[in-house]
Amino acid sequence: MRIDASATDNFQEPVAELGKSALSSAFNRSMLLDSLGLACYIAWSFVFWNGSLLFGDLRPSMPVDNAQIIQGVLTALTALLLVFSACKSVPFRRRKVILATFAIVSSAAVVVAALAGFGKAPAEFMLLGFALSGIGSALRLGCEERLSVQGVRRTAICAGAAYLFGFVLFIGVSLLPAAIALAVAVALPFVTYALLLAAVRSEQVCEVRSSRGLKASLAGVPWKLVVAIALAYFSYGATRATGVAGGLVAAETIHSAMAGIPALASVVAIALAYYFYRKNALLAFYLAFPLMALAALLPAGIDPFAGNTTFCVALVGAELVKYLVWFLLIDSIIKDGISALLCLALMRFAQWGGSCLGQVAADALPSTETVTIAILLSLVVALLVIMGSPMSDKLSVASVSLDALDLDERVGLAAGRYKLSPREQEVLAIWATGHTGAYIEKTLFISKNTVKTHLNHIYAKTGTANREQLLELLDAIDG
């Protein structure tokens, strides 16, 4: 399955006539603002999770495991609330207030967790700090929503750069004296907010906002992807249950640098997700799920970082699934007119809901072996969801007179002759083999309406009315 992002990358049109150099300058400045804004929030998350600023000498009484679960629940619930409000047409000034509120809550989370970490407040305050961080982290959706309406390529570049910038910024914060580092950490969400507003002002992007109601919008969401990401993060959550806290203890004074491993894992996952998005999306799942299974099967005793190595292996797999799903959702956002915030909030709900359930299951199950079995089962089910049941999808393949060996060549010639778009060529290549529209929908991760639209365009451009006429046309094409 080859998925070409060129159609989404050309979505944005310049508002006014600009010279080439001026347009390039504006585009680069906007990309820098987008990357730095997301980087500041990523740095905030690294400070919250890994900084000695917050945890100090991690006290045995610190309820980190429970805090992680509370954070996951609040993150998922906040995302679910955003799902219900995503289809409403909200003036930008009101949305600025909502984003500013999330920035305030994120900053408060840093202060509360720092007080608990250094023993200036009861250990239970750590639970409150993690809960506030779960709510406030919805600010990140503001940056991701803006990227989503600008195409997959730009999203991949800015997200990858943001992780690199964010890690460098985090290291800088960690080297500061505690009081100054706390002040900088408190300011990071507000810097994200300011850079997001600056990016909006510097480049007016045509935001895709659905005119449909919530029920109609949800019907257009590719739910297989949402379910797959929930199951993948169930596995990740069960794996990280012994990885994050143990890794912090094992790393001791060097655990600030340990944030570089998740940062690198995320950058690698973004690069892989973009590559597979362009080439063959299904192969990404074939790589991600075995990686997560491997993390579950590796004995904890061979990990010198008390579970952190297996945690990072699982993270690469989970992040690969997350970013591939994000890139595929952008197709629905731009082409099907589904609200970007709706898709991103659903993805976030599935991600954190699955992760939270995985961690709860890891704590509740009686042995490591049963946790491993639960992880492997979740990955098998996720793969079946993506692939579909082999018995439930009997394909009625039409008889074709084309030689399978030169079909791709004939489709390519037809695409050039009749000026088909890359996605239309992709649909034609599958349709010409006799597969059903449902198969195209499943294979390319696009909606039924999008399949119909592409086929109508193909018929109009080629002057045909049905599949048989298309086959005759392809059969008559020669080099």
Side-chain angles (χ1 to χ4, degrees):
M1 173 179 58
R2 184 179 181 280
I3 298 181
D4 196 335
S6 59
T8 59
D9 291 338
N10 295 329
F11 170 75
Q12 185 182 331
E13 297 288 345
V15 177
E17 291 290 333
L18 295 173
K20 183 176 180 181
S21 60
L23 179 60
S24 175
S25 175
F27 180 80
N28 290 335
R29 179 173 183 270
S30 178
M31 285 183 70
L32 181 62
L33 290 172
D34 285 331
S35 299
L36 289 177
L38 186 55
C40 287
Y41 207 79
I42 288 172
W44 171 88
S45 66
F46 284 155
V47 169
F48 193 90
W49 276 103
N50 302 281
S52 57
L53 164 68
L54 296 183
F55 294 102
D57 297 325
L58 196 66
R59 290 178 285 159
S61 61
M62 197 68 69
V64 176
D65 288 343
N66 292 336
Q68 291 171 7
I69 294 173
I70 290 175
Q71 182 195 46
V73 170
L74 268 295
T75 303
L77 289 177
T78 304
L80 187 60
L81 290 175
L82 289 174
V83 168
F84 289 110
S85 63
C87 290
K88 297 180 180 178
S89 181
V90 180
F92 184 69
R93 63 180 179 276
R94 189 179 301 175
R95 301 187 72 196
K96 286 197 294 187
V97 173
I98 295 172
L99 293 173
T101 301
F102 287 141
I104 293 170
V105 174
S106 297
S107 294
V110 170
V111 174
V112 172
L115 290 174
F118 281 104
K120 304 299 182 182
E124 289 72 19
F125 270 51
M126 184 65 75
L127 301 177
L128 176 59
F130 272 71
L132 292 174
S133 75
I135 298 171
S137 62
L139 174 62
R140 180 168 178 165
L141 290 178
C143 300
E144 294 176 346
E145 180 188 18
R146 174 177 158 74
L147 290 176
S148 296
V149 298
Q150 299 177 77
V152 174
R153 180 175 178 273
R154 180 157 173 172
T155 297
I157 292 173
C158 290
Y163 269 101
L164 295 176
F165 294 160
F167 174 63
V168 171
L169 180 57
F170 163 70
I171 290 297
V173 173
S174 298
L175 296 176
L176 296 173
I180 300 175
L182 176 59
V184 173
V186 168
L188 284 174
F190 295 110
V191 176
T192 295
Y193 175 73
L195 288 171
L196 177 59
L197 297 187
V200 171
R201 286 193 298 268
S202 71
E203 183 181 55
Q204 294 297 323
V205 175
C206 180
E207 181 181 358
V208 179
R209 186 174 292 279
S210 174
S211 60
R212 296 172 287 182
L214 178 62
K215 185 176 180 180
S217 295
L218 290 176
V221 172
W223 284 101
K224 287 183 180 181
L225 297 178
V226 177
V227 173
I229 199 172
L231 290 168
Y233 270 85
F234 175 90
S235 170
Y236 164 75
T239 303
R240 82 166 188 165
T242 57
V244 176
L248 286 172
V249 175
E252 295 179 346
T253 58
I254 66 165
H255 70 257
S256 292
M258 294 296 291
I261 299 176
L264 180 60
S266 295
V267 172
V268 170
I270 291 169
L272 288 172
Y274 184 67
Y275 173 80
F276 287 119
Y277 171 85
R278 299 285 304 206
K279 298 298 181 181
N280 191 319
L282 281 178
L283 291 180
F285 296 105
Y286 294 151
L287 173 62
F289 293 150
L291 276 177
M292 301 178 77
L294 177 65
L297 292 170
L298 285 175
I302 68 173
D303 187 351
F305 295 106
N308 227 349
T309 303
T310 54
F311 157 68
C312 288
V313 171
L315 178 63
V316 171
E319 291 283 276
L320 174 54
V321 173
K322 182 182 82 172
Y323 282 101
L324 180 66
V325 168
W326 184 8
F327 296 161
L328 293 172
L329 285 176
I330 289 175
D331 200 40
S332 295
I333 290 167
I334 293 178
K335 293 185 177 179
D336 296 342
I338 301 176
S339 164
L341 181 59
L342 174 72
C343 289
L344 291 169
L346 273 175
M347 188 177 77
R348 191 173 182 83
F349 171 74
Q351 173 191 349
W352 284 92
S355 178
C356 183
L357 289 175
Q359 187 168 348
V360 171
D363 291 339
L365 291 174
S367 66
T368 303
E369 289 76 14
T370 54
V371 173
T372 301
I373 292 172
I375 291 173
L376 295 178
L377 284 175
S378 71
L379 294 175
V380 169
V381 173
L383 190 58
L384 289 175
V385 168
I386 291 296
M387 294 297 298
S389 171
M391 297 301 295
S392 65
D393 188 24
K394 295 182 179 180
L395 304 175
S396 55
V397 180
S399 61
V400 292
S401 61
L402 299 175
D403 184 350
L405 292 178
D406 65 355
L407 176 58
D408 288 341
E409 182 181 356
R410 291 171 181 269
V411 169
L413 290 172
R417 184 172 301 179
Y418 297 101
K419 295 181 170 50
L420 302 183
S421 71
R423 181 49 66 90
E424 288 166 356
Q425 179 179 347
E426 199 171 16
V427 171
L428 175 58
I430 301 175
W431 188 244
T433 61
H435 286 95
T436 64
Y439 179 84
I440 297 174
E441 177 186 349
K442 180 183 73 173
T443 304
L444 299 184
F445 296 104
I446 56 179
S447 71
K448 182 187 297 184
N449 289 335
T450 302
V451 173
K452 290 180 179 178
T453 298
H454 287 316
L455 288 174
N456 287 335
H457 288 168
I458 292 169
Y459 289 142
K461 290 180 179 180
T462 58
T464 56
N466 52 49
R467 188 190 333 233
E468 273 133 31
Q469 291 182 11
L470 265 177
L471 295 178
E472 291 174 2
L473 180 144
L474 290 174
D475 200 22
I477 283 181
D478 54 39

